[in-house]
Amino acid sequence: MKRVANIIFIILSIALAVTIFLLSSDTGEESGSKSSSITEIILSIFVRDFDSMTREERLELINKYSFFIRKLAHFTEYAAFGFLLYGSLYTFDASSANKKKVLIISSWLLATFYAATDELHQKFVSGRGPSIRDVMIDSMGALFGIIVFMLIVLIITKVRNKKK
């Protein structure tokens, strides 16, 4: 079962890395358009009377929250990436506490390195550019994802031990 979980985590990690790369390949205009569309959807869900606002009022609100939602997307996609990378390493071998520390650091550094190379990749995409702030946000997202994975393992372990 652990081998199957390991393969699934690896496949999902690769799929998310490819997705991140493809999203970073969008031009500045394409990326901005997607961000605005996603921001509009989120605002339509959470802002009362959003649909009854004038187009100008909606655009003003979209512009106001677009930056925050884009950065939240960075954090979230790398939280998922950190979760999956740690899951890949954990299901491969996490037999001792010392190894777990190495796995945590390894998966976090791998996600951070990928974030840095992803930002560098954007230097070569029209209308885009690298951002150290985004690498930092991505890195913190990855760490958050790793912590979430560790908490889930802790909860599962405690539940299993109570049943014994």
Side-chain angles (χ1 to χ4, degrees), residues 59-79:
L59 286 174
E60 184 179 323
L61 208 55
I62 289 167
N63 289 334
K64 180 178 180 182
Y65 288 101
S66 185
F67 178 80
F68 172 75
I69 290 173
R70 279 196 334 266
K71 299 311 166 191
L72 184 60
H74 268 269
F75 184 88
T76 304
E77 71 186 356
Y78 275 87

Side-chain angles (χ1 to χ4, degrees), residues 4 64 82 114 120 144:
V4 172
K64 180 178 180 182
Y114 190 79
L120 182 62
F144 179 79

